[in-house]
Amino acid sequence: MSKEPNFSDNQGEDENELIRSEFESIVEGLSLDESSPTTYLDELDSFDRADRFIAPAPPAQSLRATFLNAKDALVRWFNRGHHDDDGSRV
């Protein structure tokens, strides 16, 4: 009884070897260290800083101009008119 070589088993081993080598070549090209210099939280911080409110710097006024502006504001407040209701209308 001589054992004839089974080509289907040999072919299956060749396919497995081919698949294994293809997989290994793909894995070799991958880098497991995909770290970046910034993280997601760093990016959120940078968006936060970019969207912050920057208060305008009003031009400096003299003491006299400040006094006149305050006087005008008080006159407008006193002459605003008196209403007995809360301002809403139906």
Side-chain angles (χ1 to χ4, degrees), residues 14-51:
D14 288 343
E15 284 181 18
N16 285 340
E17 183 62 33
L18 179 64
I19 291 171
R20 196 173 300 122
S21 65
E22 287 283 332
F23 177 75
E24 288 175 3
S25 68
I26 291 172
V27 170
E28 280 179 11
L30 296 178
S31 172
L32 297 178
D33 182 24
E34 294 291 330
S35 62
S36 66
T38 60
T39 63
Y40 178 69
L41 295 176
D42 292 336
E43 290 176 16
L44 286 179
D45 265 352
S46 69
F47 291 138
D48 249 2
R49 280 185 242 125
D51 290 338

Side-chain angles (χ1 to χ4, degrees), residues 74-87 89:
L74 285 172
V75 168
R76 283 193 312 264
W77 184 72
F78 278 119
N79 294 332
R80 70 186 186 280
H82 296 284
H83 300 286
D84 292 333
D85 60 352
D86 62 356
R89 304 224 186 252

